[in-house]
Amino acid sequence: MANDDLKALVRTIPDYPKPGIQFRDITTLLLDGAGFAATIERLAAATGPVPDLIAGIEARGFIFGAALAHRLGCGMVLLRKKNKLPGRVTGINYALEYGQDRIEMHADAVAPGARVLLVDDLIATGGTALAAVELLRGAGAVVERAAFVIDLPDLGGAARLAAAGVAVTALLGYGGD
Ligand code: AMP
């Protein structure tokens, strides 16, 4: 993991959304066509065998997940915030620092035994990604890999995913966050 050319395209906004947080803003990476394309190529090269489906986490996980699904030629399942999906859903609540949140997917989206690659822009504590893994596995999916553009290793999310049997790929690391 070095990818300093891509790291130079990520903007850091201090104290957003609250004091002490260094927000790693990928919108500036998306503005750069060559950088966005290189991001997808490097994720594709790093994620191993082509899965049956990519699961993208709303909302920034949809951007990288959809582009990667197109690149790999696989399908995509959307993991959405609550009450966004029109069909019958299955969902899971998970803890945030204050309060809780919920993600949902269509109950019939994933066939039992489907090999699913989880994708999001960034992994911090891993709470969101672990909830996503639990939701997908509850539907019968096999989730052994997850890919992120950015890892904040000091927050321990990648290690928590590894402990849950999910191998993590990330292109950029920011220690000290
Ligand atoms: P977590 O559940 O703690 O792993 O948080 C992951 C989610 O929160 C991802 O969907 C990220 O988009 C967002 N997130 C958390 N921390 C940051 C940060 N420092 N900069 C940008 N996005 C963040």
Side-chain angles (χ1 to χ4, degrees):
M1 188 172 19
N3 296 311
D4 289 342
D5 54 335
L6 302 182
K7 201 171 205 177
L9 296 170
V10 174
R11 173 170 61 180
T12 296
I13 299 184
D15 300 318
Y16 182 88
K18 56 185 185 183
I21 303 288
Q22 303 278 3
F23 193 87
R24 307 303 180 180
D25 176 21
I26 53 78
T27 66
T28 43
L29 171 65
L30 297 175
L31 286 168
D32 189 289
F36 186 21
T39 301
I40 298 307
E41 284 305 311
R42 292 178 208 179
L43 286 173
T47 48
V50 176
D52 296 315
L53 289 173
I54 282 175
I57 300 176
E58 188 168 356
R60 282 164 284 173
F62 291 174
I63 299 166
F64 296 103
L68 186 58
H70 179 71
R71 169 67 178 75
L72 296 177
C74 66
M76 172 144 187
V77 54
L78 305 186
L79 307 184
R80 297 215 61 179
K81 303 200 165 126
K82 66 180 170 198
N83 298 329
K84 296 284 188 185
L85 289 166
R88 191 168 61 84
V89 301
T90 177
I92 186 167
N93 297 325
Y94 62 97
L96 295 175
E97 192 177 350
Y98 302 105
Q100 63 170 23
D101 213 338
R102 180 175 176 83
I103 49 171
E104 297 178 339
M105 68 177 192
H106 275 141
D108 59 359
V110 176
R115 292 171 303 112
V116 176
L117 169 68
L118 182 67
V119 173
D120 203 357
D121 68 324
L122 181 148
I123 182 159
T125 67
T128 312
L130 279 165
V133 169
E134 196 177 333
L135 179 61
L136 290 161
R137 285 180 173 166
V142 177
V143 189
E144 294 175 339
R145 306 190 68 93
F148 304 88
V149 180
I150 296 169
D151 179 25
L152 308 182
D154 298 350
L155 297 183
R160 291 173 72 198
L161 273 184
V166 181
V168 172
T169 294
L171 298 182
L172 308 176
Y174 290 83
D177 278 19

